[in-house]
Amino acid sequence: MQKNQVSHQRVRATRACLAATTAIASLWGGIASAQAQEAQPGEIVVTATKRETTLQDVPAALAAVGGERLETERVLNIEQLRSIPSFSAGTAFGRDQNQYFVRGVTTYNGNEGTSSAVAIYQNEVFTDSPSFGSEPFFDVERVEVLFGPQGTLWGQNSTGGAVNVITKKPTKDFEGAASITYGAFNEFDIDGAISGPLVDDKLSARLSFVHQSRDGWITNSFNNKKIAGYSDSAVRAQLLWTPSDTFDLLLRFRARELSGDGATPYFGTGLLPGNTNIYGYQYSDSYDTLSINVTDPVNDLNSHGASLEANLDLGFAGLKLIASHDKSDGESRFDDDATPLDIETFHNKKSAEQQNLELRLTSPKSDHFSWIVGATYFNGRSTLDQQFYTLAQDPLIGSGLYGYGIRFNQSKRNYGIYGSVTFHLTDDLSVIAGGRYTSEKISGNIDNVMYLINLASPEDVDSSQDPLIPLATLSQRISSKEPTGDITLQYKPSSELNFYAKVARGYRGGGFNQGAFSQDAAVSVRPEYVWSYEVGAKTVWLDSKLAIDLSIFRSDFSDLQSQSYTNNVLTLFNAGKANYTGGEININYRPSRDFNVRLGYSFVQRHVYGYQGVGPDGLVYDVDYDRPYSQANIGVMKAFDFGGDHRLVFNTSWTYFGRRYLRDIIPTDPIWKFLQQDPRWKGDASVSYEFGNGRWALTGWVKNITDQKSYSSPAPQPYYGLSVITHGDPRTYGATLNFEF
């Protein structure tokens, strides 16, 4: 999308949002609500065990970040959530796809055909497609990150862990908030929420919205234009019906519209001497300037969905029903070779649709015995139409004016039943045991053909017509019936001390290599499996002002899903084995509402062994390597009261990322050094002036203070003698005005 189109959308969104904000402020401007305060470290309430409990009482490794902290640290999406040890996220191929790292476990390619190793939920609704898990953060209550396999209560595709984003619900009292931001690269953000009763004590509603936009920060020297801009808007409407003390029904409706001029354009690296490709083009080492001849890149997504959550108190147990339906359509177009030459252009159209259903019975808490049983159903479909077209000489086929057309269809159906019981052997000692049985069927179809293109309008070619050469076909069903579960021994001698030991089994569903360019690459992968062993301690000191959590773990993987090359074409396969050994420590000290220090450190040693794989250089490697992953976090908040209702708040958050390895097989030749990233610190800071009884706040902020360079999603193309990679955001800064009522 061109810059002026993004700007026009920004103007329309600005007018609408400002009108809504003005109306809200004028109607309820006199109604003040106390500013939400972050709970003390030992008192944060979470729902990771499918029932409300404090963070301190959960016998498992878990992190929770409240909505207030997300706003203070200006965390606009899951990618910017960097303050949790052993967890990080990055943009894979645009703002509509993310890549997650939990305890060193990740998915290198976030495509529709591959099951994720980290399960993403919103309000307990599973998001299978990457499109559904990339929504911007707005009106969020908290984010919970669960570490290690979560095969009992949360299901499959969580061999690394699970993330649950919990949004704020309608309230019985009127309340609301709004904020407006302006920053570098013409960044303009506005968000707001209003909540309150429609019928006293019976029916309440909540409406929230967000609009985030920014001009491009990357210069395309081919036409002297800026690219990598975006306009991202979302809205959520909720109705909460509480006809009695024993029943409530919550309806949620959401919609999102993303448009951009190539949110993550590819930068290039030459694999031949002199940083060149096979056509002799020499790439630049610039971080924010490139030259590409695709002058109208696109990164668009439209999605919408609805969910129902019903709760009924049966006396002997609580019954919960969660049902949802989500749908998305997206399009992206970018230069796949990162040059001004007509080597290869990528055009992608995709759609996804899913339905979730969960029915759960939860017993009341008991001093002796408690239980949870439930059943889940998932049905999902996705379609992907990819076109790669070029005017250059193809190094493999030897003809010009051609294109590749890949059509991928996938359907997935999943049934599960689960249960978990807690036995309190003594006042201090408990055993928690759980299990799940999952039956899943995944059907995939791949059809890839080479075709001649129309020189005047190559994008308009229907790849299903007049194929020149059939390249790859696959029609296959993957069926699996898998038991998973866990058992935990918990020793809790006091409310301040919690020790646990846990064994868990998890699995990650099978998938397909959706981007197969040859018949050898048109393959599927079986599920991968993991056994995890963990011991930990959670301690609270100084009247819940200081919390120190420690965990040590080992995860043993088999049938590991990995990547290799077949005839210079990337493919998937089930590798050998791997074990991940490491630990985390978190320290949270909050002696008062005016001071908070957070320290964290995590370390993972990843040992992969027992198979042969082909690297991007075409050589066969006996895989047996150890790689360390480390991460450290430091956060400090300090506030000063100046009497009356005036307050100054300083906040800074820093994250250290150890060396990152972006592919399983990395050749030793220095030209492949871009497949790993050097250690780095990344920090943010802000200062806020609060006034008006805490209802108003003016904040100046800086993200990526030291302007650190970061990279993700490398895609070697050895047949062209090049590789492409995406660059992370540079330093940004701006100011935000918040208003609460």
Side-chain angles (χ1 to χ4, degrees):
M1 173 170 292
Q2 298 299 315
K3 178 179 176 180
N4 61 339
Q5 291 177 284
V6 175
S7 299
H8 290 160
Q9 287 195 349
R10 180 185 298 126
V11 170
R12 290 195 296 270
T14 303
R15 289 173 178 170
C17 294
L18 285 176
T21 305
T22 302
I24 291 170
S26 62
L27 187 58
W28 288 290
I31 304 174
S33 64
Q35 185 177 7
Q37 297 300 316
E38 189 84 6
Q40 291 293 81
E43 300 171 353
I44 299 172
V45 176
V46 295
T47 54
T49 58
K50 300 288 187 175
R51 64 167 84 230
E52 288 192 353
T53 185
T54 63
L55 184 64
Q56 166 66 15
D57 289 335
V58 178
L62 166 70
V65 181
E68 180 189 2
R69 211 175 106 195
L70 293 174
E71 294 177 6
T72 301
E73 297 181 3
R74 191 168 166 74
V75 178
L76 304 181
N77 51 51
I78 199 168
E79 179 192 358
Q80 297 180 1
L81 188 60
R82 298 193 294 264
S83 59
I84 299 175
S86 278
F87 174 82
S88 63
T91 299
F93 302 104
R95 287 176 65 88
D96 59 339
Q97 293 189 53
N98 290 318
Q99 183 180 14
Y100 309 97
F101 296 84
V102 177
R103 287 183 168 176
V105 180
T106 187
T107 305
Y108 287 125
N109 56 335
N111 62 40
E112 300 287 344
T114 306
S115 299
S116 175
V118 180
I120 307 299
Y121 293 79
Q122 186 173 111
N123 297 312
E124 298 189 50
V125 173
F126 175 59
T127 61
D128 184 60
S129 169
S131 302
F132 299 129
S134 61
E135 188 172 279
F137 284 170
F138 66 107
D139 205 26
V140 172
E141 181 70 29
R142 68 185 178 278
V143 178
E144 299 179 9
V145 179
L146 295 78
F147 299 97
Q150 306 296 323
T152 297
L153 297 178
W154 297 90
Q156 84 284 10
N157 298 342
S158 59
T159 50
V163 179
N164 188 25
V165 180
I166 300 101
T167 60
K168 294 181 180 179
K169 295 181 179 181
T171 55
K172 293 183 178 181
D173 299 320
F174 281 115
E175 67 175 35
S179 72
I180 187 169
T181 296
Y182 185 79
F185 307 109
N186 203 27
E187 179 175 353
F188 177 78
D189 304 337
I190 187 168
D191 65 83
I194 183 171
S195 179
L198 300 179
V199 178
D200 286 346
D201 298 323
K202 298 294 183 182
L203 185 66
S204 55
R206 190 177 192 97
L207 178 66
S208 48
F209 66 90
V210 64
H211 171 74
Q212 301 171 359
S213 61
R214 192 180 69 187
D215 291 342
W217 61 275
I218 297 172
T219 300
N220 181 7
S221 61
F222 183 81
N223 60 1
N224 256 345
K225 298 288 183 65
K226 294 287 187 179
I227 56 175
Y230 59 83
S231 175
D232 201 349
S233 301
V235 64
R236 185 185 308 117
Q238 302 177 77
L239 285 173
L240 177 60
W241 182 42
T242 53
S244 69
D245 293 337
T246 59
F247 178 74
D248 63 74
L249 179 68
L250 176 62
L251 294 175
R252 293 186 178 96
F253 304 91
R254 65 160 195 89
R256 178 192 183 191
E257 180 177 322
L258 165 68
S259 61
D261 51 5
T264 52
Y266 274 147
F267 286 76
T269 296
L271 301 181
L272 300 181
N275 198 19
T276 61
N277 59 27
I278 66 169
Y279 301 100
Y281 180 80
Q282 185 175 37
Y283 288 95
S284 167
D285 292 329
S286 174
Y287 190 78
D288 59 3
T289 301
L290 47 66
S291 180
I292 57 175
N293 62 336
V294 177
T295 57
D296 54 348
V298 169
N299 180 209
D300 294 348
L301 178 72
N302 288 280
S303 68
H304 59 271
S307 66
L308 176 151
E309 180 182 323
N311 294 281
L312 177 63
D313 187 350
L314 300 175
F316 73 95
L319 177 66
K320 179 183 282 287
L321 170 68
I322 300 175
S324 67
H325 178 271
D326 296 278
K327 191 177 188 305
S328 71
D329 295 283
E331 180 179 9
S332 58
R333 180 174 57 248
F334 52 82
D335 194 311
D336 201 36
D337 54 80
T339 75
L341 308 177
D342 288 312
I343 299 178
E344 189 166 87
T345 299
F346 175 84
H347 191 193
N348 172 47
K349 292 183 178 180
K350 61 182 180 180
S351 64
E353 189 171 4
Q354 66 174 41
Q355 296 87 36
N356 279 280
L357 183 65
E358 180 174 1
L359 191 64
R360 181 165 77 236
L361 276 172
T362 305
S363 74
K365 288 185 177 181
S366 168
D367 292 335
H368 303 288
F369 173 76
S370 57
W371 50 267
I372 296 176
V373 295
T376 60
Y377 169 76
F378 173 84
N379 182 44
R381 295 172 297 280
S382 60
T383 299
L384 186 69
D385 282 297
Q386 293 180 317
Q387 290 188 4
F388 299 80
Y389 47 90
T390 180
L391 305 180
Q393 183 82 356
D394 182 81
L396 301 178
I397 306 299
S399 61
L401 306 180
Y402 71 95
Y404 295 114
I406 303 176
R407 184 174 180 83
F408 173 73
N409 293 289
Q410 178 177 270
S411 62
K412 183 181 297 186
R413 185 164 294 179
N414 180 300
Y415 304 89
I417 55 173
Y418 66 89
S420 180
V421 295
T422 300
F423 297 93
H424 299 285
L425 304 178
T426 68
D427 291 341
D428 303 333
L429 190 64
S430 302
V431 174
I432 304 101
R436 175 185 286 257
Y437 181 78
T438 303
S439 175
E440 183 174 61
K441 292 182 179 180
I442 308 175
S443 297
N445 294 279
I446 300 173
D447 187 17
N448 183 359
V449 299
M450 175 178 282
Y451 57 90
L452 294 176
I453 66 172
N454 182 340
L455 183 60
S457 55
E459 294 180 52
D460 297 333
V461 175
D462 182 356
S463 61
S464 65
Q465 302 297 320
D466 300 322
L468 183 65
I469 301 174
L471 297 178
T473 59
L474 176 70
S475 182
Q476 188 176 342
R477 172 179 290 182
I478 304 172
S479 298
S480 60
K481 296 180 179 180
E482 302 294 343
T484 55
D486 57 62
I487 183 167
T488 303
L489 181 66
Q490 181 184 25
Y491 176 60
K492 200 169 185 296
S494 70
S495 60
E496 292 83 18
L497 299 175
N498 181 6
F499 304 95
Y500 65 89
K502 180 179 180 180
V503 179
R505 184 182 190 270
Y507 93 99
R508 174 184 173 191
F512 300 92
N513 189 34
Q514 67 177 36
F517 280 96
S518 68
Q519 191 60 48
D520 290 339
V523 297
S524 63
V525 287
R526 302 183 306 276
E528 76 175 24
Y529 306 93
V530 60
W531 279 98
S532 176
Y533 313 90
E534 179 178 330
V535 295
K538 296 184 175 184
T539 64
V540 175
W541 313 84
L542 306 177
D543 295 326
S544 295
K545 295 179 176 63
L546 173 66
I548 302 176
D549 298 343
L550 174 68
S551 58
I552 301 171
F553 65 89
R554 176 187 171 98
S555 297
D556 292 329
F557 289 83
S558 59
D559 280 332
L560 186 71
Q561 294 179 15
S562 187
Q563 295 179 320
S564 183
Y565 283 81
T566 301
N567 295 326
N568 282 330
V569 177
L570 187 66
T571 186
L572 301 176
F573 74 110
N574 289 96
K577 299 181 179 181
N579 56 65
Y580 294 46
T581 306
E584 301 114 2
I585 183 170
N586 288 278
I587 302 173
N588 192 342
Y589 178 55
R590 191 181 181 103
S592 70
R593 71 184 291 262
D594 293 332
F595 185 54
N596 182 213
V597 177
R598 302 179 307 277
L599 303 173
Y601 178 75
S602 62
F603 177 82
V604 181
Q605 187 74 20
R606 185 172 185 255
H607 182 202
V608 179
Y609 61 98
Y611 72 96
Q612 285 189 331
V614 180
D617 56 357
L619 300 179
V620 177
Y621 290 84
D622 291 316
V623 177
D624 188 346
Y625 63 77
D626 286 280
R627 291 176 183 165
Y629 292 79
S630 60
Q631 185 174 325
N633 301 85
I634 302 173
V636 178
M637 184 278 290
K638 175 60 181 172
F640 299 90
D641 286 316
F642 293 99
D645 59 358
H646 300 276
R647 194 164 179 255
L648 200 61
V649 182
F650 294 89
N651 189 84
T652 187
S653 178
W654 291 81
T655 301
Y656 169 79
F657 298 97
R659 185 173 300 278
R660 288 291 191 266
Y661 301 89
L662 307 179
R663 280 289 183 270
D664 276 337
I665 300 176
I666 300 178
T668 56
D669 192 304
I671 67 169
W672 301 100
K673 64 181 180 180
F674 61 87
L675 294 178
Q676 53 185 299
Q677 183 161 293
D678 292 336
R680 70 196 190 282
W681 280 94
K682 204 166 189 177
D684 309 326
S686 66
V687 56
S688 300
Y689 172 56
E690 299 177 358
F691 56 100
N693 292 321
R695 292 186 301 152
W696 291 90
L698 179 62
T699 303
W701 50 267
V702 181
K703 305 284 286 185
N704 190 9
I705 296 173
T706 57
D707 203 22
Q708 285 290 311
K709 296 175 173 57
S710 58
Y711 309 90
S712 64
S713 308
Q717 301 174 29
Y719 39 86
Y720 290 135
L722 64 91
S723 180
V724 290
I725 197 167
T726 60
H727 289 187
D729 282 352
R731 176 173 49 233
T732 58
Y733 49 86
T736 300
L737 179 64
N738 295 84
F739 171 62
E740 296 186 1
F741 54 90

